[in-house]
Amino acid sequence: MNEFGLINKIRLKTFPHINHRLQSGIGDDCAVITDGNKYQLVTTDAVYENTHFTRRYTPPFELGAKAAAVNISDICAMGGRPLYAFVTVGFPKNENQKYVEKIYAGLFAWFNAYGVDIAGGDTIKADRLFLSVTLLGEVEKNRIMLRKTAKAGDVIFVTGKLGASHAGLKTLMGKNKKRLSKDENSAVKKHLMPVPKFIAGRLLGESGLVSACIDISDGLMSDLLHICEESKCGAKIWEAHVPIADEARYVAQKKKEKALDYALYGGEDYELLFTVSPLKAAKFYDFAAGNGLSCKAIGKLTANRGVFRVNASGEKEERFKKTWKHF
Ligand code: ADP
Ligand code: MG
């Protein structure tokens, strides 16, 4: 079974929407519901022991923090602010209560920092530990950023630097973890406790200059494909322009791997990937500089539907084999 094949089948059955206030359901970082001069945003994400995390690599506080962060990140990708969370937790009968309390400490730490109330949830018995978070938020109508509104010719940007989270995962999976270097420690921290790009998302939405936006959860190339599919276009990524995190360079070199691959396919950096019309690019550069927004142009959307990597020796079409598959 293929995750996106299944979601597409479900999605086809959701048209037309029964409730006319549902602006957009399946297919973006959040569902979008009209509410006066605002949109309500809703997103949900679940993690399951030994599928998405293992107790060996993920301490409980970090597990809670990350579950909060990935949902907050989806609201940030729409330009919104997160507000209310519902948390469902499942664990085996003999689970240690302290362990679950530590997960909640992580959830509360992140939710408090972003102004989110835990407003409810459910607790159930399960074979293995799992955590499901549903997050509600809102965004002013004129600030929303969707995946489906980009156009061929738009410039592709990314905030921050990529690949550190994957470097962290590689470090956690490595043998010698007693004496980690500064870069390795930083990579592990970025993997276990990603920071959602709230201020960047709010600024991008406020600018009114962004044509589409998504957060990088699966990996730059994979998430770019989502923008391409929703906006019915293709893309070219200029390899030399992709911002690579120092942690990715350090760990990749140590493991004799390519740091660029960490940045393109690693995922879980939770940076924002967005597009700007070439007609608005000059204005956007001024806006970004004026607001201290760190971002970089890394490519262009094209009318041709393929996604290509471009370097000095030519261009190569992406086959999408290297991305994360659940099934
Ligand atoms: P993200 O990585 O941004 O969290 P996902 O890849 O998990 O997004 O999901 C993509 C879209 O598919 C979202 O709109 C999500 O709500 C929807 N979706 C995922 N799984 C299901 C499902 N089982 N039923 C209905 N919608 C789903
Ligand atoms: Mg997302």
Side-chain angles (χ1 to χ4, degrees):
M1 185 155 58
N2 166 295
E3 179 191 358
F4 293 115
L6 174 69
I7 295 173
N8 267 333
K9 268 195 167 167
I10 299 168
R11 183 177 179 179
L12 287 173
K13 290 195 199 283
T14 66
F15 291 108
H17 300 319
I18 297 165
N19 296 292
H20 70 278
R21 285 175 56 204
L22 181 59
Q23 281 291 315
S24 155
I26 298 173
D28 216 307
D29 291 302
C30 298
V32 181
I33 301 158
T34 303
D35 184 8
N37 60 353
K38 292 209 159 136
Y39 288 122
Q40 302 293 333
L41 303 171
V42 188
T43 182
T44 188
D45 247 301
V47 288
Y48 188 39
E49 183 178 0
N50 297 345
T51 299
H52 301 97
F53 70 93
T54 60
R55 296 192 194 215
R56 211 169 123 210
Y57 299 145
T58 314
F61 181 92
E62 280 83 348
L63 178 64
K66 189 161 178 174
V70 302
N71 281 281
I72 294 169
S73 179
D74 276 328
I75 301 256
C76 297
M78 313 288 292
R81 68 167 91 246
L83 291 168
Y84 311 106
F86 294 81
V87 179
T88 296
V89 59
F91 45 82
K93 216 167 142 195
N94 58 353
E95 183 63 67
N96 174 349
Q97 191 177 330
K98 282 262 165 348
Y99 193 87
V100 178
E101 284 173 2
K102 281 182 190 159
I103 295 174
Y104 269 84
L107 282 165
F108 274 114
W110 249 240
F111 281 148
N112 285 340
Y114 287 84
V116 176
D117 289 300
I118 294 186
D122 203 0
T123 308
I124 65 168
K125 199 171 84 184
D127 292 342
R128 280 181 266 158
L129 190 67
F130 83 83
L131 191 59
S132 170
V133 176
T134 299
L135 185 59
L136 278 63
E138 65 180 23
V139 60
E140 300 79 351
K141 273 195 170 161
N142 58 358
R143 289 194 186 185
I144 195 167
M145 301 184 289
L146 302 169
R147 293 179 182 178
K148 65 182 176 195
T149 36
K151 298 256 177 331
D154 289 359
V155 185
I156 304 165
F157 289 85
V158 68
T159 60
K161 293 184 177 188
L162 303 174
S165 176
H166 190 70
L169 178 64
K170 286 268 170 173
T171 304
L172 283 171
M173 287 162 58
K175 284 198 188 80
N176 284 328
K177 279 178 297 200
K178 288 262 150 42
R179 288 176 46 205
L180 297 181
S181 69
K182 190 171 133 269
D183 276 324
E184 285 169 323
N185 268 318
S186 162
V188 166
K189 198 169 161 215
K190 286 185 177 172
H191 179 72
L192 292 177
M193 294 204 285
V195 177
K197 303 304 175 295
F198 174 71
I199 292 173
R202 291 296 287 165
L203 278 172
L204 292 174
E206 186 198 322
S207 78
L209 300 168
V210 170
S211 56
C213 185
I214 188 171
D215 65 327
I216 300 184
S217 53
D218 294 343
L220 167 61
M221 296 308 266
S222 177
D223 288 313
L224 173 63
L225 180 65
H226 292 319
I227 287 189
C228 289
E229 283 174 339
E230 295 302 318
S231 295
K232 303 187 172 53
C233 59
K236 287 186 185 199
I237 290 295
W238 310 315
E239 287 185 4
H241 292 244
V242 173
I244 301 174
D246 292 343
E247 296 92 334
R249 288 188 196 283
Y250 180 92
V251 174
Q253 191 186 32
K254 202 166 160 181
K255 307 228 176 255
K256 300 193 170 51
E257 293 174 329
K258 289 185 187 148
L260 179 63
D261 282 351
Y262 286 21
L264 294 178
Y265 308 108
E268 300 205 284
D269 286 312
Y270 297 99
E271 293 292 345
L272 298 177
L273 179 68
F274 61 97
T275 55
V276 175
S277 155
L279 302 172
K280 296 179 180 171
K283 214 171 160 191
F284 177 75
Y285 281 115
D286 283 347
F287 179 87
N291 288 282
L293 186 72
S294 139
C295 60
K296 200 152 178 268
I298 56 165
K300 249 180 124 162
L301 295 180
T302 58
N304 174 339
R305 291 297 290 269
V307 175
F308 291 81
R309 286 172 59 166
V310 185
N311 63 25
S313 47
E315 50 182 63
K316 203 167 123 223
E317 187 165 3
E318 192 57 54
R319 293 277 161 228
F320 294 101
K321 275 191 197 134
K322 294 180 184 174
T323 54
W324 172 250
K325 289 254 183 313
H326 297 274
F327 300 103

